[in-house]
Amino acid sequence: MTNTFKAVVAGTGSYLPEKILTNKDLEKSLDTTDVWITERTGISERRIAADGESASTMAAKAGKQALEAGGISPDDVDLIIVCTSSPDVLFPSTACFVQNELQAFNCAAYDISAVCSGFVFGLSIVEQYLKNGRYENILLIGSEVNSRIVDWTDRSTCILFGDGAGALLLKRVEQENPLGILSTHIYSDGRLSDLICVPGGIGRTGVNKQDIDDKKYFIKMSGNATFKVAVKRMTDVIREALEFNELSMEEVGLLVPHQANQRIINAVAERLNYPMEKVFMNIHKYGNTSGASIPIGINEAKRSGRIQPGDTSVLGVVGAGLTWGSAVIKW
Ligand code: COA
């Protein structure tokens, strides 16, 4: 099928749980300090889902806001994709719960799993469906309840993560339209699957008491090794996006990187010779919200006026898998 269409962002939304957990709060239960966390990660506080909140409830709130912003009724949504690595249950998909919550019954709904890179992987799927004319309106949501899959006694991981959801409504337009998704590039390297993982195997071993006692159903991470690989992969894949679009960094209005660690982002910006004033940051408020980090960032940048009509934004992500990717959006 020839591509006669492309994808534009028609609406954005996000939802952050009300409860704030500060570094000072963590000092009370962990051998850590506000100074250590702030200096090593840039994180000051993160949001924590309340009882009764989950990836699907937060996703539905973010999705509803994106639909309202785009002026689209739930009846006109053709597809809902939820990017999550902290789904409500193993199955059915979180997206099916979201569909029910939004009462968007004329669509298909499914999840994808690419962890912190999930949203850019999702964007690459949406781009294909809209380009080839299969669908007209797609709701792409990233939603994570990381607070339920971190070990709150492990100071090297629990300080990093937070909960939240973000959503984009993407719409099919004619190929001639200068706006929209200009490119997506995605990669995986399964040889690095041990760097960040939840090792407890549901399908591999079945849930068992030993794995529960060994805390294998929580996030495990080799922080240092991940840090180095994250900087390199994110820099390289952003460079690839620039070359593909024949863009220079000067022509990029805003870089929206995955918010994993302030120092990873600083190192990427430095390698790209890109000023930090043009890098979107909200890690101090939310920590690493995995698959939700990019759409929360886009929504906040859009609503605060940091993204203006005519701007070009570049997204860069890296996550467990290992997975990594980039995307370019013209607004
Ligand atoms: N408070 C105080 N000390 C801590 C700590 C905390 N919360 N977490 C770890 N430490 C200690 C370690 O135990 C270690 O102590 P030791 O030297 O006595 O053994 C020391 O700090 C240094 O640990 P190290 O792991 O080398 O620190 P770091 O500078 O690499 O920072 C991370 C750790 C996790 C913040 C950092 O590696 C990181 O952010 N990595 C990337 C993680 C990431 O973003 N993953 C997701 C990608 S999508």
Side-chain angles (χ1 to χ4, degrees), residues 112-129:
I112 64 153
S113 167
V115 201
C116 299
S117 304
F119 202 81
V120 166
F121 276 55
L123 212 51
S124 77
I125 297 171
V126 171
E127 187 191 20
Q128 303 311 318
Y129 279 130

Side-chain angles (χ1 to χ4, degrees), residues 32-329:
T32 192
T33 61
D34 176 34
V35 172
W36 193 96
I37 301 173
T38 310
E39 283 179 357
R40 298 292 179 108
T41 69
I43 301 165
S44 301
E45 56 190 47
R46 68 285 294 141
R47 299 299 179 96
I48 305 293
D51 290 348
E53 285 189 314
S54 66
S56 73
T57 67
M58 296 191 296
K61 287 183 172 144
K64 187 166 183 281
Q65 202 180 76
L67 290 182
E68 283 166 3
I72 291 289
S73 141
D75 289 338
D76 295 325
V77 175
D78 301 309
L79 177 66
I80 297 171
I81 299 178
V82 175
C83 316
T84 186
S85 45
S86 45
D88 285 19
V89 292
L90 195 55
F91 66 83
S93 71
T94 298
C96 284
F97 296 130
V98 173
Q99 178 195 35
N100 193 32
E101 189 80 22
L102 292 176
Q103 308 216 332
F105 298 122
N106 298 322
C107 68
Y110 64 87
D111 292 355
I112 64 153
S113 167
V115 201
C116 299
S117 304
F119 202 81
V120 166
F121 276 55
L123 212 51
S124 77
I125 297 171
V126 171
E127 187 191 20
Q128 303 311 318
Y129 279 130
L130 295 177
K131 261 184 169 176
N132 69 23
R134 178 77 174 85
Y135 291 127
E136 198 172 337
N137 296 305
I138 301 181
L139 190 55
L140 179 66
I141 309 175
S143 186
E144 303 283 8
V145 66
N146 286 321
S147 62
R148 306 236 167 91
I149 57 164
V150 294
D151 173 1
W152 286 103
T153 64
D154 176 5
R155 67 177 183 172
S156 67
T157 53
C158 73
I159 55 142
L160 296 170
F161 293 95
D163 301 338
L168 299 190
L169 171 68
L170 291 123
K171 215 175 164 47
R172 185 178 74 202
V173 292
E174 298 296 323
Q175 176 70 43
E176 293 69 43
N177 195 315
L179 309 183
I181 311 302
L182 302 189
S183 68
T184 54
H185 288 88
I186 57 170
Y187 295 98
S188 306
D189 186 347
R191 289 169 297 187
L192 301 176
S193 56
D194 287 345
L195 280 185
I196 325 172
C197 60
V198 176
I202 308 279
R204 200 182 274 163
T205 55
V207 176
N208 62 80
K209 186 164 181 321
Q210 189 60 53
D211 283 355
I212 293 172
D213 291 346
D214 294 343
K215 300 192 170 175
K216 286 196 176 166
Y217 298 102
F218 295 125
I219 297 174
K220 306 276 180 230
M221 185 175 66
S222 306
N224 247 309
T226 305
F227 190 100
K228 286 177 200 145
V229 90
V231 171
K232 173 153 177 41
R233 300 292 158 98
M234 209 198 286
T235 308
D236 288 351
V237 78
I238 289 172
R239 283 209 178 105
E240 184 175 5
L242 296 173
E243 276 166 29
F244 180 85
N245 291 288
E246 298 180 354
L247 275 174
S248 67
M249 256 344 253
E250 289 78 54
E251 294 170 281
V252 174
L254 193 69
L255 175 62
V256 185
H258 169 50
Q259 309 282 308
N261 182 314
Q262 168 90 53
R263 290 186 299 132
I264 293 179
I265 297 169
N266 291 349
V268 170
E270 195 183 313
R271 279 163 176 72
L272 293 168
N273 204 11
Y274 193 66
M276 279 306 290
E277 308 85 75
K278 288 166 75 180
V279 180
F280 184 81
M281 297 298 302
N282 60 8
I283 192 168
H284 54 289
K285 296 189 288 183
Y286 306 139
N288 181 347
T289 56
S290 307
S293 147
I294 290 286
I296 293 172
I298 292 175
N299 183 48
E300 292 196 342
K302 192 89 182 57
R303 286 173 190 261
S304 66
R306 285 199 69 188
I307 293 174
Q308 290 293 327
D311 279 358
T312 303
S313 306
V314 174
L315 318 178
V317 290
V318 62
L322 196 82
T323 53
W324 64 102
S326 60
V328 178
I329 305 177

